Amino acid sequence: MYTRVGDKRGQADVLVEFGHLHSVRSQYTEAEVCFTQAHNIFDQINFQRGVASCFAALGDIYRSRSQWEDAVRFYRKAAQAYERLGEKRGRANVLLSIGHIQRLHSQLEDAERWYILARDTYYQIGDQHGRANVLVGLGEVYRIRSPPQHSEAEASFIEAREIFSVVGDELGGANVLLRLADLQRAQRKYTEAETAYADSRQIYQRLGNRLGVANALLGIGHIKLARDNYPVARSMYREARSNYIEIEDSLGAANVLVGLGHVYMNQGDHLEAEKLYVQALEEFEHLKNRRGVDVTSFCLGMLRAGRK
């Protein structure tokens, strides 16, 4: 319809809507096409707010695909565009996203700094939902620090979950429930963790969110591994990796290989474990993921030292 009447703004708006629909369903290739086409139209008609939003959306797509440099590049473009427009909420959102990437690369001090910048802006504009997202990020920083700050992490996650419930964000609630499960697993509260993973998986399945389903399956695999239930652990890991590969999440797929390597290592099949660790190491190196490289290198070192 918009094409017939020559309404370019309308065409771009429809493309953005389709882009978000594809993104929620983890259909990242289709989403990238929609957002790129929308950006080109917005740029042609000099609608800068639309340009900024497409930059941010493309940053989200590249982050979901573990294309970190491209993600940061588009987030910075978005931040600059939002700053020129005086759009504080949009700028805070992309600062938050940069914080997530810094955290994933174990640059925890930098991540905390980006999170705090975003948090302060959300406070200024009274954005409760944005504040909840920052609390999730800060909770993750506290959880993976050395030594871990478990009580601070739990407090952040619980506060975030309460806010998501109030604002009616079911996906946000599922995401923070997944983080709570990770925290409980780290504290060896396996029964509570498995329940939280299963609950989050159900929500993700209802929403059609393949990434969330994969993350929950990975968590359940970890629980089964910890409880020496190797057949189920192997099944959960393989299903998770299949999901990650289909939605082009390279980091998630690499993380699964480490879990599978642990399964075979614990069962005494060192050759298969080594093969999986080596494959994981290659994938982490390709992704330039320092934490993954360090963890997998340590696993390989322990395995090979045990043979001597």
Side-chain angles (χ1 to χ4, degrees):
M1 179 181 73
Y2 290 114
T3 302
R4 287 200 305 272
V5 301
D7 182 357
K8 290 190 174 182
R9 169 73 186 278
Q11 294 171 32
D13 287 342
V14 169
L15 285 166
V16 168
E17 289 299 319
F18 276 113
H20 286 305
L21 180 62
H22 286 306
S23 183
V24 167
R25 293 176 175 174
S26 304
Q27 297 167 338
Y28 299 128
T29 299
E30 294 87 345
E32 180 185 10
V33 171
C34 289
F35 289 130
T36 300
Q37 291 178 350
H39 163 266
N40 292 339
I41 296 172
F42 285 137
D43 194 40
Q44 289 172 10
I45 64 176
N46 196 31
F47 184 62
Q48 293 304 305
R49 191 176 300 277
V51 168
S53 68
C54 287
F55 280 149
L58 285 165
D60 291 341
I61 295 301
Y62 294 126
R63 177 159 65 97
S64 296
R65 287 174 164 176
S66 305
Q67 296 173 243
W68 311 116
E69 292 180 2
D70 287 334
V72 170
R73 178 164 58 88
F74 275 93
Y75 284 143
R76 289 187 182 277
K77 286 183 177 183
Q80 292 168 359
Y82 282 129
E83 190 168 15
R84 288 194 298 269
L85 291 165
E87 175 55 66
K88 291 185 177 181
R89 178 175 284 106
R91 185 170 181 273
N93 289 341
V94 293
L95 295 177
L96 174 65
S97 296
I98 294 172
H100 290 330
I101 291 174
Q102 298 294 333
R103 172 175 54 79
L104 285 171
H105 286 79
S106 301
Q107 297 169 348
L108 301 184
E109 298 305 316
D110 288 338
E112 187 173 18
R113 179 170 59 84
W114 287 106
Y115 285 142
I116 289 172
L117 285 171
R119 182 197 64 188
D120 291 346
T121 303
Y122 288 131
Y123 270 123
Q124 289 175 15
I125 62 178
D127 186 334
Q128 287 288 91
H129 190 270
R131 189 165 68 87
N133 286 324
V134 171
L135 285 166
V136 174
L138 286 171
E140 282 291 281
V141 168
Y142 300 143
R143 183 180 70 84
I144 64 178
R145 260 190 180 143
S146 182
Q149 297 172 275
H150 288 151
S151 58
E152 291 86 348
E154 184 175 15
S156 292
F157 291 146
I158 289 173
E159 186 178 356
R161 192 179 182 198
E162 290 171 352
I163 294 173
F164 284 132
S165 178
V166 169
V167 301
D169 184 347
E170 194 173 14
L171 178 59
N175 289 339
V176 77
L177 184 59
L178 191 74
R179 294 335 188 263
L180 273 169
D182 289 339
L183 179 63
Q184 290 163 342
R185 177 170 58 83
Q187 298 175 84
R188 299 187 179 183
K189 299 177 181 178
Y190 296 137
T191 300
E192 297 94 324
E194 186 169 0
T195 298
Y197 283 131
D199 289 346
S200 67
R201 180 186 179 186
Q202 289 182 349
I203 297 170
Y204 287 130
Q205 287 176 326
R206 186 168 65 249
L207 296 174
N209 189 286
R210 297 281 299 279
L211 176 60
V213 171
N215 288 335
L217 287 167
L218 177 63
I220 295 170
H222 291 331
I223 295 292
K224 298 302 183 183
L225 172 64
R227 288 179 159 173
D228 299 332
N229 190 339
Y230 300 129
V232 177
R234 197 160 46 240
S235 175
M236 293 295 102
Y237 283 142
R238 286 174 175 165
E239 188 177 351
R241 182 166 167 85
S242 176
N243 276 273
Y244 284 130
I245 290 171
E246 288 183 22
I247 64 174
E248 303 175 76
D249 187 328
S250 302
L251 179 59
N255 283 327
V256 172
L257 292 174
V258 178
L260 280 169
H262 293 341
V263 170
Y264 286 101
M265 178 71 172
N266 289 3
Q267 290 184 302
D269 189 343
H270 293 180
L271 288 177
E272 184 64 23
E274 183 174 19
K275 184 173 73 173
L276 289 161
Y277 288 146
V278 168
Q279 185 181 350
L281 181 61
E282 290 172 351
E283 293 187 14
F284 284 129
E285 287 175 340
H286 177 73
L287 294 169
K288 300 179 182 178
N289 185 275
R290 187 179 67 191
R291 184 168 184 269
V293 169
D294 289 346
V295 168
T296 312
S297 296
F298 176 79
C299 293
L300 272 171
M302 293 292 292
L303 185 153
R304 288 166 176 168
R307 290 177 178 170
K308 295 179 181 179

